[in-house]
């Protein structure tokens, strides 16, 4: 897929605020690709399209999970987890995206997982640190990325923050997120 096609798809589908976020994630991911030696185009495409399914109907998303025999654990979750895997599914089946790096990055940006690919980690982190994010602690994570250049540590800190947030709200934790936390806890230094 060409970059211009990804831009048009995101622009047509998403509300302006979410489209602008997608552009910032794509740009941040490209910046990070340069630092960490990843493929810039893959980072751009996955960044631009990661939230493509963000506002899709939950029932439709669950139908897709069942029809295509996707991970049944998805059925216990709403859009917060599902919009990544569903975006990857739509891009693969309707728009001919075949690149595994791009598909994995879209799929797992909502949950993380253990042992992510470089492109996956970049999109996961870029989504959290794009310039307009004002989450507590985000400045420290930007420093870990752009000054310390420690991508695994950034993945760990983001996953930890997400877990603490979810637990504080009594929310369920997707099992791949716990695996992500444990894995990057081990490899972060
Ligand atoms: Fe997202
Ligand atoms: Fe996002």
């Amino acid at each position: 897929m060409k970059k211009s096609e990804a831009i048009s798809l995101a622009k047509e589908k998403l509300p302006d605020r979410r489209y602008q976020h997608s552009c910032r994630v794509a740009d941040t991911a490209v910046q990070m690709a340069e630092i960490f030696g990843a493929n810039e185009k893959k980072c751009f495409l996955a960044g631009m399209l990661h939230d493509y399914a963000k506002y899709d109907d939950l029932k439709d998303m669950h139908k897709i999970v069942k029809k295509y025999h996707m991970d049944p654990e998805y059925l216990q979750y709403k859009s917060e987890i599902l919009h990544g895997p569903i975006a990857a599914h739509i891009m693969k089946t309707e728009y001919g995206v075949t690149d595994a790096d791009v598909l994995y990055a879209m799929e797992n940006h909502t949950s993380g997982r253990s042992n992510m690919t470089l492109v996956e980690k970049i999109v996961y982190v870029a989504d959290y640190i794009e310039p307009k994010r004002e989450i507590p602690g985000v400045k420290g994570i930007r420093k870990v990325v752009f000054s310390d250049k420690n991508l695994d540590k950034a993945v760990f800190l983001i996953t930890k923050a997400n877990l603490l947030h979810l637990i504080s709200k009594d929310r369920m934790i997707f099992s791949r997120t716990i695996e992500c936390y444990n894995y990057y806890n081990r490899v972060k230094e």
Side-chain angles (χ1 to χ4, degrees), residues 18 21 50-52 54 79-80 83-84 106 109-110 127 133:
R18 183 59 47 178
H21 160 73
H50 76 288
D51 275 344
Y52 186 77
K54 182 91 179 173
S79 174
E80 294 96 298
H83 74 271
M106 287 190 277
H109 88 271
T110 51
D127 190 25
R133 289 274 200 203

Side-chain angles (χ1 to χ4, degrees), residues 3-31:
K3 281 184 180 183
S4 57
E5 190 185 347
I7 295 169
S8 311
L9 283 173
K11 196 168 188 173
E12 276 166 34
K13 175 91 184 272
L14 297 170
D16 190 58
R17 242 188 50 189
R18 183 59 47 178
Y19 168 66
Q20 297 298 340
H21 160 73
S22 303
C23 293
R24 290 192 298 271
V25 173
D27 290 344
T28 305
V30 167
Q31 223 181 315

Side-chain angles (χ1 to χ4, degrees), residues 98-154:
T98 52
D99 186 276
D101 272 336
V102 175
L103 293 171
Y104 275 134
M106 287 190 277
E107 179 176 349
N108 294 308
H109 88 271
T110 51
S111 62
R113 63 167 180 143
S114 62
N115 202 9
M116 289 193 276
T117 69
L118 181 57
V119 177
E120 243 177 316
K121 288 191 278 192
I122 285 175
V123 173
Y124 182 78
V125 173
D127 190 25
Y128 198 88
I129 66 167
E130 59 95 336
K132 288 264 165 88
R133 289 274 200 203
E134 288 170 358
I135 312 159
V138 73
K139 280 186 187 161
I141 296 172
R142 288 190 186 113
K143 192 178 154 285
V144 169
V145 173
F146 295 112
S147 305
D148 307 345
K149 301 186 172 40
N150 189 338
L151 189 56
D152 288 340
K153 190 168 181 190

Side-chain angles (χ1 to χ4, degrees), residues 65-120:
V65 170
K66 286 181 196 154
K67 186 171 173 194
Y68 293 93
H69 308 289
M70 293 160 74
D71 184 345
E73 191 183 352
Y74 287 143
L75 298 172
Q76 296 172 41
Y77 292 85
K78 295 183 182 165
S79 174
E80 294 96 298
I81 289 289
L82 274 165
H83 74 271
I86 297 294
H89 172 83
I90 293 171
M91 287 305 139
K92 189 175 165 184
T93 55
E94 292 180 29
Y95 296 100
V97 175
T98 52
D99 186 276
D101 272 336
V102 175
L103 293 171
Y104 275 134
M106 287 190 277
E107 179 176 349
N108 294 308
H109 88 271
T110 51
S111 62
R113 63 167 180 143
S114 62
N115 202 9
M116 289 193 276
T117 69
L118 181 57
V119 177
E120 243 177 316

